[in-house]
Amino acid sequence: MIPYLRQFDFTYGRRDQVSPLIQRVIADNPGPFTFTGTGTYIVGRNLPGAEVAVIDPGPADDAHLSALLRAIEGRVVSHILVTHTHRDHAPLARPLAVAVGGAPILAAQPPERTEHASGALDEDDDADFHPDEILTESEWIEGDGWTLEAMPTPGHASNHMAFVLRQENALFSGDHIMGWSTTVVAPPDGDMTDYMNSLEAVLARGFSTIWPTHGPAITQVAPFLKAYRDHRLEREAQIMARLASGDQLIADMVPVLYAAVDQRLWPAASLSVLAHLIKLEKDGRARASPRPELAATWRLTDPAF
């Protein structure tokens, strides 16, 4: 079982000092995909004139922009970093950059614009997002007493980029890892093979703390990540078992596999099942007809499973 973390102290728009170099302001955009809302992180010393970086400015929300400006007041924003281009993370980046005098926006290359097969989700891309600088693997961003490393973590999104705070051995994980829930992996942009590989890469780094964009910090990192990984492997085994029992459609699998989950999340769950099945097809353990998509008919390649 994943030891979920769902209780923490916060007030919308309030600046909270959550570590020596990290402050957080939470946007008032709660929902089934955002939990209590988007947590925007301010990295740097809380001293007049200090340089700070802002990670995941959040949704297009004037109240959140005003809260961020109050939280930053008296300091200099040297960089604005975005973990990925979903609408609860990226849209406020440009208005914030303008408001603070033109700080550069840094992110991985935005993906090709695609629509999820199930229709719009809360996690659709911000089609208007364009970073000023494109980040790639292991680039370093330095400021006044802090250093951030760009760490590619594709899977939830093809352009997902986490950020490592060297001084605190901490990872800003965006939506790649969340304490309150598992992460949606939604094809065509989401990829379960990439996600599992990224999860292993994070586990190998031995971080002391993980700061998700939604929800509280993860401080028991290794056991949490192992449970997160084991959950995915268990879900994969459950999908194989459903195929072995005769289920051929994702629509038949989801009500069984996600019976305890809010039905509002079933469209997203369907996409996660599709992501698992696409991985199984890549691994040679399942096959889709006529092609790997939500409406496909699926079967095991080894009926003896």
Side-chain angles (χ1 to χ4, degrees):
M1 296 291 291
I2 299 173
Y4 288 122
L5 304 164
R6 292 171 175 149
Q7 300 297 320
F8 68 117
D9 178 42
F10 78 96
T11 297
Y12 291 121
R14 184 180 73 192
R15 181 184 69 185
D16 291 322
Q17 188 81 41
V18 294
S19 85
L21 285 174
I22 303 171
Q23 297 170 329
R24 182 180 58 206
V25 180
I26 296 180
D28 188 1
N29 64 325
F33 297 100
T34 58
F35 190 39
T36 59
T38 298
T40 300
Y41 292 101
I42 302 166
V43 180
R45 295 185 294 179
N46 188 17
L47 296 173
E51 285 186 340
V52 298
V54 176
I55 299 176
D56 280 350
D61 181 275
D62 290 341
H64 189 51
L65 176 59
S66 296
L68 289 178
L69 294 175
R70 289 194 302 272
I72 294 162
E73 188 174 7
R75 294 179 287 174
V76 178
V77 178
S78 61
H79 302 81
I80 297 171
L81 310 176
V82 177
T83 59
H84 60 298
T85 55
H86 288 169
R87 291 183 299 179
D88 52 327
H89 294 251
L92 204 61
R94 188 62 61 189
L96 176 63
V98 171
V100 299
I105 300 169
L106 285 65
Q109 178 68 49
E112 294 184 10
R113 304 304 177 188
T114 58
E115 292 185 5
H116 297 303
S118 66
L121 293 176
D122 286 359
E123 299 199 329
D124 277 349
D125 281 329
D126 173 14
D128 297 324
F129 178 76
H130 300 285
D132 299 312
E133 299 179 26
I134 302 296
L135 292 172
T136 57
E137 186 171 3
S138 299
E139 289 190 60
W140 294 89
I141 303 106
E142 295 185 325
D144 184 7
W146 52 265
T147 307
L148 291 165
E149 174 194 354
M151 182 180 182
T153 46
H156 171 69
S158 62
N159 70 326
H160 198 287
M161 183 75 73
F163 297 99
V164 181
L165 178 58
R166 187 179 68 181
Q167 286 76 7
E168 297 186 3
N169 191 34
L171 181 73
F172 297 97
S173 63
D175 283 355
H176 180 63
I177 298 159
M178 300 186 292
W180 74 280
S181 176
T182 55
T183 298
V184 173
V185 180
D189 190 53
D191 185 283
M192 190 61 71
T193 300
D194 287 346
Y195 183 81
M196 296 301 290
N197 290 337
S198 297
L199 199 57
E200 293 291 349
V202 171
L203 185 56
R205 290 289 295 264
F207 294 114
S208 301
T209 310
I210 292 179
W211 296 99
T213 298
H214 307 289
I218 300 163
T219 55
Q220 302 297 316
V221 174
F224 188 91
L225 291 182
K226 289 175 183 176
Y228 223 58
R229 177 188 60 194
D230 290 348
H231 170 79
R232 291 291 183 182
L233 295 175
E234 180 183 4
R235 182 69 77 202
E236 184 176 283
Q238 290 170 345
I239 291 169
M240 293 280 284
R242 295 313 306 168
L243 291 171
S245 73
D247 283 354
Q248 294 184 317
L249 301 175
I250 291 173
D252 294 330
M253 299 181 200
V254 168
V256 178
L257 297 175
Y258 293 87
V261 174
D262 186 339
Q263 291 190 24
R264 293 178 300 168
L265 299 179
W266 281 9
S270 298
L271 290 167
S272 279
V273 172
L274 175 60
H276 276 289
L277 285 165
I278 291 171
K279 177 181 180 295
L280 289 169
E281 187 172 59
K282 290 178 182 177
D283 294 343
R285 292 186 286 165
R287 183 170 299 165
S289 178
R291 54 186 176 274
E293 59 185 9
L294 277 174
T297 298
W298 294 86
R299 65 177 179 84
L300 293 173
T301 55
D302 180 5
F305 170 79

